[in-house]
Amino acid sequence: MKHSVTIRMGAPAWDATINDHRAQATERINSVQQAAQPSFADAAIRIVSGGVNAMTGYNKANTMNFAS
């Protein structure tokens, strides 16, 4: 014969359990690494380096008479 026991928590215990779970969830959310904000300097460097690479390729092609 099986007996089942039901334990009922009172309101203060229930609130403590909910608050504990909420604190754990908040801690997990806040521990996720946040992405860094993109900077204008990074974008400017990428744009300038792309332009330099394009000019270098153009100059090489122009030296070899591929570009007109």
Side-chain angles (χ1 to χ4, degrees):
M1 181 173 190
K2 292 184 179 179
H3 296 286
S4 65
V5 177
T6 303
I7 300 174
R8 296 182 185 234
M9 290 192 286
W14 181 253
D15 287 343
T17 302
I18 290 174
N19 288 337
D20 185 46
H21 285 269
R22 184 176 291 138
Q24 288 176 2
T26 302
E27 193 174 314
R28 282 194 302 270
I29 290 168
N30 291 336
S31 69
V32 174
Q33 186 176 5
Q34 300 293 321
Q37 290 286 334
S39 69
F40 175 75
D42 181 52
I45 290 170
R46 290 175 189 263
I47 291 168
V48 169
S49 66
V52 169
N53 286 339
M55 282 302 296
T56 302
Y58 175 78
N59 287 337
K60 282 183 182 179
N62 198 19
T63 307
M64 297 179 179
N65 294 323
F66 288 134
S68 54

